[in-house]
């Protein structure tokens, strides 16, 4: 059976059009038509050169993935999409709904209304093998193409108006946009988050984001966050390849020894070298860096760890996001930190080191859509039982 490429795979589409002597300016009109007519055949797209139709028909499909199942959490704000790829593998994407009116700007109520954030997968499984993460238990299967990454945005857009997206690496593969907006008119952050380590699929990641920020998607780079375990060589080139993005780093420990215990991949990315790379990134980008820190009882959540983290970050402009651990089954070796420990940790970072610190609101745990729970399975379908709206973390003023 012939294997087709996604029409949203920009590099392949561009190359095929160039080889056929067809102007690549038609790419945007092809994408726009498919977005507006998701059930279409490529031969229906109007006003293309005649040679383009045969090329599209023999090489490409409007979608190479399909939405297999949609699960709604009882929290009323979280939806998980189980997406089947052309090779038969599955990935998951998560939609979360927030209400901008619940935030404040300059002490005054904000305008706006409900908006949705999409967390996107970049790989099937993950190589990182973090011990607290369900996705890590899958092992690594394969990278997604740039088209398969973009298709997740298109699928989600058919369910709701997606305002924000997250490329998160595997254990945050899911749930909450953590970016604090600096501007009152900032509509949100597109972040790519889901299964996989985005920077381990660097070429497809860059290509997908360039599609998302171009016509017809036109997403602002300020609304795109890429989260990483800390792939140093990729961080070193990220700003020049994709200027204006938000970078989030899954740190999880203030010292190398603890990092290696809970994140085996950290051995390849020594903390000292990682911090040097982040220093260079911040100098070049002039943007805040978001630090992800999962709270594991007795492992990295004591007061001494808070002070070590504060000293590590005190020369940076950062926002720290403390993330309560989501148990991934009875076999998990870790326990969730108590609310008191999380609060004390936050107070030390804020009070002693003047570091902006948030605590992540957990969402979608009943559909395995919460942080660390993304592993492909087929739970029973759930329906909305609670339609309350949550404040988007982006709208919090810290």
């Amino acid at each position: 059976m012939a294997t087709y490429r996604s029409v949203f795979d920009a590099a392949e589409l561009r190359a095929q059009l160039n080889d056929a002597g067809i102007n690549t300016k038609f790419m945007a009109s092809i994408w726009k038509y498919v977005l507006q007519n998701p059930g279409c055949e490529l031969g229906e797209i109007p006003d293309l050169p005649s040679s383009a139709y045969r090329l599209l028909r023999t090489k490409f499909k409007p979608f190479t993935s399909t939405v297999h199942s949609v699960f709604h959490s009882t929290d009323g704000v979280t939806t998980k999409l189980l997406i089947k790829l052309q090779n038969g593998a599955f990935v998951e994407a998560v939609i979360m709904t927030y209400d901008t009116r619940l935030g404040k700007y300059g002490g005054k109520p904000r305008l706006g209304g409900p908006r949705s954030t999409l967390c996107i997968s970049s790989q099937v499984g993950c190589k990182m093998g973090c011990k607290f993460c369900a996705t890590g238990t899958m092992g690594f299967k394969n990278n997604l193409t740039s088209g398969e990454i973009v298709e997740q945005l298109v699928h989600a857009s058919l369910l709701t108006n997606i305002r924000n997206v997250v490329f998160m690496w595997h254990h945050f593969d899911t749930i909450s946009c953590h970016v604090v907006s600096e501007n009152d008119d900032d509509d949100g952050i597109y972040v790519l988050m889901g299964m996989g380590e985005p920077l381990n699929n660097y070429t497809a990641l860059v290509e997908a984001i360039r599609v998302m920020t171009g016509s017809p998607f036109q997403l602002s780079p300020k609304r795109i966050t890429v989260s990483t375990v800390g792939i140093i060589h990729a961080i070193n080139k990220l700003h020049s390849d994709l200027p204006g993005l938000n970078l989030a780093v899954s740190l999880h420990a203030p010292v190398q020894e603890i990092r290696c215990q809970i994140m085996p991949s950290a051995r390849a990315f020594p903390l000292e070298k990682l911090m040097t790379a982040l220093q260079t990134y911040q100098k070049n980008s002039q943007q805040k860096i978001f630090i992800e820190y999962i709270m594991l009882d007795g492992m990295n959540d004591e007061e001494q760890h808070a002070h070590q983290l504060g000293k590590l970050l005190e020369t940076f402009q950062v926002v720290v996001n403390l993330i309560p651990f989501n148990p991934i089954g009875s076999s998990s070796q870790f326990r969730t930190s108590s609310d008191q420990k999380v609060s004390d940790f936050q107070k030390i970072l804020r009070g002693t080191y003047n570091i902006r610190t948030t605590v992540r609101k957990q969402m979608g745990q009943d559909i395995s859509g919460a942080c660390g729970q993304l592993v492909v399975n087929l739970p029973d379908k759930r329906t909305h039982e609670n339609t309350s709206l949550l404040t988007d973390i982006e709208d919090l003023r810290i």
Side-chain angles (χ1 to χ4, degrees):
M1 187 174 68
T3 299
Y4 293 88
R5 298 298 290 262
S6 168
V7 77
F8 293 101
D9 190 332
E12 184 67 19
L13 181 59
R14 186 182 299 110
Q16 292 287 346
L17 291 175
N18 278 328
D19 287 349
I22 301 168
N23 196 318
T24 56
K25 72 178 184 181
F26 292 107
M27 292 171 65
S29 57
I30 292 170
W31 294 335
K32 183 177 180 180
Y33 189 86
V34 174
L35 284 173
Q36 294 175 342
N37 305 274
C40 74
E41 296 292 334
L42 294 178
E44 300 170 9
I45 301 172
D47 303 324
L48 298 179
S50 57
S51 57
Y53 292 106
R54 183 179 182 280
L55 186 153
L56 291 174
R57 188 173 61 252
T58 57
K59 302 282 188 179
F60 295 92
K61 294 174 69 175
F63 294 95
T64 58
S65 63
T66 58
V67 177
H68 179 276
S69 308
V70 178
F71 305 98
H72 300 290
S73 172
T74 55
D75 63 19
V77 295
T78 310
T79 299
K80 183 167 72 172
L81 280 65
L82 183 63
I83 296 172
K84 186 175 183 180
L85 306 179
Q86 187 171 221
N87 66 2
F90 289 88
V91 293
E92 294 173 334
V94 179
I95 302 170
M96 300 162 292
T97 302
Y98 302 91
D99 191 356
T100 62
R101 295 168 296 189
L102 300 181
K104 290 187 175 181
Y105 181 78
K108 298 179 181 180
R110 295 186 62 147
L111 302 175
R115 73 176 183 217
S116 295
T117 291
L118 175 65
C119 303
I120 296 180
S121 292
S122 58
Q123 297 178 313
V124 181
C126 186
K127 294 179 181 179
M128 299 295 100
C130 295
K131 296 181 179 179
F132 50 80
C133 172
T135 310
T137 66
M138 291 176 60
F140 173 72
K141 308 297 183 183
N142 62 269
N143 283 324
L144 300 192
T145 66
S146 63
E148 289 170 333
I149 293 172
V150 175
E151 283 183 21
Q152 293 172 68
L153 172 58
V154 181
H155 289 313
S157 297
L158 299 178
L159 299 179
T160 185
N161 181 27
I162 298 295
R163 302 291 295 276
N164 316 302
V165 180
V166 188
F167 272 105
M168 265 337 234
W169 73 294
H170 60 96
H171 60 277
F172 297 124
D173 13 56
T174 116
I175 269 346
S176 54
C177 233
H178 48 278
V179 178
V180 180
S181 294
E182 294 298 315
N183 303 309
D184 188 26
D185 61 353
D186 207 358
D187 283 330
I189 310 295
Y190 273 83
V191 205
L192 296 155
M193 165 160 128
M195 299 168 68
E197 159 58 64
L199 296 189
N200 269 347
N201 190 11
Y202 189 84
T203 300
L205 171 79
V206 170
E207 190 72 57
I209 292 176
R210 286 176 175 165
V211 171
M212 291 177 178
T213 55
S215 179
F217 293 96
Q218 299 290 6
L219 305 183
S220 168
K222 293 188 299 181
R223 297 178 192 166
I224 298 176
T225 293
V226 173
S227 179
T228 175
V229 66
I231 312 297
I232 294 172
H233 62 273
I235 291 172
N236 287 338
K237 57 184 178 179
L238 186 63
H239 174 66
S240 59
D241 287 337
L242 295 168
L245 289 185
N246 296 289
L247 175 66
V249 178
S250 297
L251 202 59
H252 305 317
V255 295
Q256 178 70 1
E257 181 182 359
I258 298 175
R259 257 194 127 219
C260 290
Q261 288 177 30
I262 61 178
M263 303 165 65
S265 62
R267 294 185 181 92
F269 309 106
L271 188 57
E272 185 177 348
K273 291 184 178 180
L274 174 58
M275 300 314 291
T276 298
L278 295 180
Q279 206 166 34
T280 302
Y281 181 90
Q282 185 153 78
K283 180 181 178 182
N284 292 335
S285 69
Q286 295 296 302
Q287 291 175 265
K288 287 183 176 65
I289 294 172
F290 298 91
I291 301 296
E292 307 287 1
Y293 195 97
I294 195 163
M295 299 292 289
L296 302 172
D297 185 48
M299 176 65 72
N300 66 352
D301 66 345
E302 306 293 346
E303 289 189 6
Q304 69 183 46
H305 300 132
H307 285 292
Q308 288 172 328
L309 184 62
K311 290 172 183 174
L312 184 69
L313 299 174
E314 61 185 349
T315 61
F316 288 84
Q317 290 295 312
V318 297
V319 176
V320 174
N321 191 200
L322 303 179
I323 303 164
F325 169 60
N326 278 322
I328 56 176
S330 58
S331 62
S332 176
Q333 67 186 91
F334 300 112
R335 297 186 305 274
T336 304
S337 300
S338 67
D339 290 345
Q340 186 61 53
K341 272 192 171 182
V342 175
S343 178
D344 291 344
F345 203 99
Q346 182 185 35
K347 286 176 182 176
I348 290 171
L349 292 178
R350 281 180 162 182
T352 304
Y353 299 96
N354 197 30
I355 293 175
R356 301 169 72 182
T357 308
T358 65
V359 178
R360 179 168 291 179
K361 169 74 176 178
Q362 295 306 312
M363 299 156 63
Q365 288 177 299
D366 63 318
I367 57 169
S368 297
C371 299
Q373 293 180 327
L374 282 196
V375 57
V376 170
N377 51 34
L378 292 168
D380 293 335
K381 291 188 179 182
R382 311 295 173 93
T383 58
H384 291 275
E385 294 180 5
N386 181 351
T387 56
S388 60
L389 295 169
L390 298 181
T391 307
D392 192 338
I393 192 71
E394 300 157 31
D395 297 313
L396 297 179
R397 302 297 295 179
I398 302 159

